[in-house]
Amino acid sequence: MNSVLVASNRGPVSFTVSDGGELTMKRGGGGLVSGLSGVVKDDGVLWVCAALSDGDRSAVRQAPGGRIDHAGYDTGPVRMLDIPPATFHRAYNAVANSTLWFVNHLLYDIPNAPNFGTKFEREWESYRDYNGAFALALAEEAGHGARVMVQDYHLTLTPAMLRAERPDLRIAHFSHTPWAPPEYFSLLPDEVAREVLEGILGADHAGFLTDRWAQLFMDCCERLLGAEADRVARTVTHQGRTTRIGVHALGVDGAALWQRAGEPDVESHMTALREQVGDRRLIVRIDRTELSKNIVRGLVAYGEFLAAHPEWHGRVVHLAFAYPSRHDLPEYREYTASVQRCAQEIEDAYATEDWDPVILNVDDDYPRSLAAYRLADVLLVNPIRDGMNLVAKEGPVLSPHCALVLSREAGAAAELGPHALLVNPYDISGTAAALHEALVMPEEERRRRREQLHAAATALPPDRWLAAQLDALA
Ligand code: G6P
C-alpha cells in the first residue's frame, strides 16, 4: 500500500512494439511529465497513468496487476491502466482535448462550435468511465490516510469519485491549464459543467498555476453551483464540504536545466545553428504545434516587423520550432499546415540568396531547442491563453541576454510581466513593435531584465512545487 500517489493521463514512461513484437521503454514526454518525473522517483510514491498506445497496452498485459515496475522495467513504481481503446479515445481526444481544453483556453470558433448532442453524451459517458477507472485503481493502491495528487483536466471527476470510495484519503487536484470565465465555461451542458466543478471540489485542495485561474474557478463555483467562495481564506464551500484553493506557480529547476544544456549534443547543435545563421540576431520560439500557442499570429507579426523595418533585412533570423502534437485531431493537422504556409509566405516575400528570414522546424528535438534558447536574442511567447508556459521560464535561464516578448494571457505573465515586453496576443502590430523594441533594447537593460526573469523563473522549482502541495494536504 502506498502513502503518496500521483495520477495523470500521461505517465512517466511509454512503450513501443517493434515489428518482431519486442517492447522498448522510453521516458514520457510533455511539460507535466518532465516537471513531475524529476521529483516523483521516491519509492513511496506510486504513479497511476493510462496506457496511451498499443505498446503501452502490451506492456500492461505482461505486468502483474498493471504494475510496470513489477515487470522488471527500470522505472519508479508505476501502475498503468489498460482502459479499452474506444473509451480512452473518447475520453482523451473528444472530451479532454477537444472540449475541456477548448473551453479553458477559449479556443472555439463560436458560430460553428461547440455542438453538444447525442454523440457528446456517449463521449461524456466514456470520460466518466475513464475517470472511474482511475478512482478505482487509486482506491485499491492507497494506504489508509494516503495523500493522492490528481493532475489536470483529463481527471476532473476522479477526486469526487475517489472520495466516495475512500473518505479516509487526502486528495489534491491540480489544474495545469487556465480556467475559463463563467460565461464561457457555461458553454458546457449544465450537467457537465456541474460534474466537472463538483468533481474537483471532491478534493481537499484544488491547485492552480496563478491567482487569475484560481479566481475564475471560484467564480464558476459561485455562479454555476451556488457554492460559497471565500476570496480571503481561498476556500470554496459546497454541500457542507470545504475545499481549499491553492496557487502554486510552477517554475524551473535552473541548475538541472543548465546541466542538461551544457552537454555535448546541445553544444554541437549550437555550432550547427551558428553555421546556419551566421552572426545574425535570433528571434526564437519553441512550442508544441498547439492552437493556443498562437504560432500563426506570431509569424504574421514577424512578417509585419520585416515590412516595417527594412534595416533588419539580412540581419535577423526567426527560428520557429513547432513540434508535433495531438495529430489525432483534425484541427491540429490543419493548424500545422497553416503554420507551414505562413512561414513559406515570409520566405517567398523576403528570402535572398544568402538569407532565410525564418527557419521553421516541425520535428521534436530537445537538445536543439536547448541550443536555440542559449543563442536567443529575443524569445517570443505569445499564446492566446496558457496555464503557465514554461518556455517563457526556461529561455531566460539559458540565454545570457535574451529579451522576452510575452503574451499577457500566459500564466507566466503574473510573475515575469514586469521584466518582459508584454503583448496582447491578438494585436499583430503590437507584437511586431515589441519584436523591434526587444531587438534594439540596450545590452545593459536586457541583461538587467534577464536577471530578474531568471530569478522569477526559478522561484518555485518542481520539487518545491510538489512539496508545497503535499504540505497543503498534511
Ligand atoms: C500540456 C499542458 C498540460 C497537459 C499536457 C497534455 O503540457 O500544459 O496541462 O497535461 O499538455 O499533453 P498530451 O500530449 O499528454 O496530450
Side-chain angles (χ1 to χ4, degrees):
M1 287 303 208
N2 300 274
S3 59
V4 177
L5 299 93
V6 168
S8 66
N9 173 64
R10 189 177 288 278
V13 290
S14 65
F15 294 86
T16 41
V17 229
S18 70
D19 291 343
E22 199 168 301
L23 284 175
T24 323
M25 184 185 90
K26 64 172 191 142
R27 304 281 150 198
L32 182 154
V33 167
S34 48
L36 281 175
S37 298
V39 286
V40 183
K41 48 189 176 230
D42 196 317
D43 267 358
V45 183
L46 176 71
W47 195 323
V48 178
C49 59
L52 307 181
S53 62
D54 291 344
D56 287 357
R57 286 197 182 85
S58 312
V60 178
R61 284 171 196 162
Q62 291 170 22
R67 286 290 294 257
I68 301 294
D69 49 318
H70 293 181
Y73 292 105
D74 170 30
T75 119
V78 177
R79 174 160 169 197
M80 226 182 225
L81 307 179
D82 184 3
I83 293 162
T87 305
F88 174 79
H89 171 77
R90 287 190 289 262
Y92 174 69
N93 284 317
V95 177
N97 288 344
S98 302
T99 306
L100 300 180
W101 180 272
F102 272 55
V103 167
N104 281 331
H105 290 85
L106 321 183
L107 289 179
Y108 282 120
D109 168 20
I110 291 293
N112 300 305
N115 298 287
F116 297 116
T118 47
K119 181 164 171 280
F120 183 75
E121 281 168 26
R122 181 139 172 269
E123 291 162 350
W124 184 249
E125 202 46 57
S126 293
Y127 183 79
R128 282 194 189 122
D129 291 345
Y130 159 96
N131 273 257
F134 273 82
L136 185 66
L138 292 164
E140 280 169 10
E141 301 280 357
H144 185 80
R147 291 178 285 180
V148 184
M149 322 272 297
V150 180
Q151 307 297 313
D152 238 346
Y153 57 100
H154 314 90
L155 297 175
T156 59
L157 308 182
T158 300
M161 290 171 160
L162 180 57
R163 171 165 308 285
E165 218 43 54
R166 290 285 306 270
D168 61 298
L169 300 177
R170 286 163 293 163
I171 306 169
H173 182 273
F174 195 87
S175 294
H176 294 261
T177 60
W179 200 267
E183 56 275 23
Y184 202 91
F185 193 76
S186 51
L187 290 174
L188 291 170
D190 293 354
E191 192 44 43
V192 169
R194 169 174 285 275
E195 265 183 77
V196 168
L197 297 171
E198 289 182 341
I200 292 178
L201 290 178
D204 299 288
H205 182 86
F208 295 87
L209 288 165
T210 68
D211 185 57
R212 183 176 173 197
W213 314 140
Q215 296 293 342
L216 289 173
F217 175 76
M218 289 192 270
D219 290 346
C220 287
C221 291
E222 278 181 329
R223 295 258 292 274
L224 280 63
L225 298 179
E228 196 185 308
D230 180 334
R231 308 283 168 159
V232 179
R234 277 218 189 107
T235 57
V236 175
T237 303
H238 179 54
Q239 295 176 338
R241 269 198 77 249
T242 297
T243 301
R244 284 189 310 278
I245 306 299
V247 174
H248 307 277
L250 179 63
V252 300
D253 178 343
L257 192 59
W258 250 115
Q259 196 181 5
R260 178 65 190 91
E263 285 180 20
D265 54 350
V266 178
E267 303 274 351
S268 62
H269 276 293
M270 284 177 77
T271 311
L273 281 172
R274 264 294 160 230
E275 268 166 23
Q276 195 177 6
V277 300
D279 60 0
R280 297 182 173 96
R281 308 293 292 279
L282 283 182
I283 300 175
V284 171
R285 77 171 304 139
I286 300 170
D287 295 287
R288 287 190 296 120
T289 312
E290 158 59 53
L291 307 183
S292 65
K293 301 296 182 189
N294 209 21
I295 304 171
V296 171
R297 285 195 190 86
L299 287 167
V300 176
Y302 177 65
E304 271 208 15
F305 153 77
L306 290 177
H309 295 281
E311 75 276 17
W312 280 99
H313 293 190
R315 294 174 51 218
V316 65
V317 173
H318 184 18
L319 273 184
F321 294 168
Y323 56 88
S325 178
R326 300 187 190 162
H327 270 210
D328 286 345
L329 303 182
E331 289 94 334
Y332 283 68
R333 296 196 295 269
E334 284 156 25
Y335 192 67
T336 305
S338 316
V339 167
Q340 285 168 316
R341 236 180 358 255
C342 196
Q344 190 56 51
E345 279 166 19
I346 297 174
E347 277 291 295
D348 293 346
Y350 296 104
T352 61
E353 201 109 303
D354 62 351
W355 176 52
D356 283 325
V358 54
I359 298 174
L360 172 69
N361 268 300
V362 293
D363 50 329
D364 192 4
D365 189 331
Y366 185 58
R368 191 187 51 198
S369 297
L370 295 177
Y373 279 140
R374 287 187 58 187
L375 296 173
D377 297 289
V378 176
L379 182 66
L380 173 60
V381 180
N382 67 324
I384 287 170
R385 197 173 173 84
D386 211 330
M388 172 57 70
N389 196 297
L390 288 177
V391 169
K393 291 189 164 180
E394 288 168 352
V397 170
L398 291 182
S399 164
H401 72 159
C402 98
L404 175 64
V405 175
L406 177 63
S407 164
R408 65 189 186 194
E409 304 304 325
E415 300 154 276
L416 307 182
H419 321 298
L421 301 175
L422 284 184
V423 293
N424 166 352
Y426 305 97
D427 183 351
I428 286 167
S429 303
T431 306
L435 289 176
H436 182 246
E437 196 184 333
L439 280 170
V440 298
M441 187 184 285
E443 196 57 26
E444 201 202 305
E445 183 183 346
R446 59 173 63 235
R447 282 187 190 277
R448 182 170 45 75
R449 284 181 184 250
R450 181 267 173 180
E451 263 170 40
Q452 287 159 329
L453 289 168
H454 183 296
T458 52
L460 190 64
D463 54 346
R464 299 210 349 249
W465 170 83
L466 189 70
Q469 291 173 75
L470 282 170
D471 287 350
L473 285 184

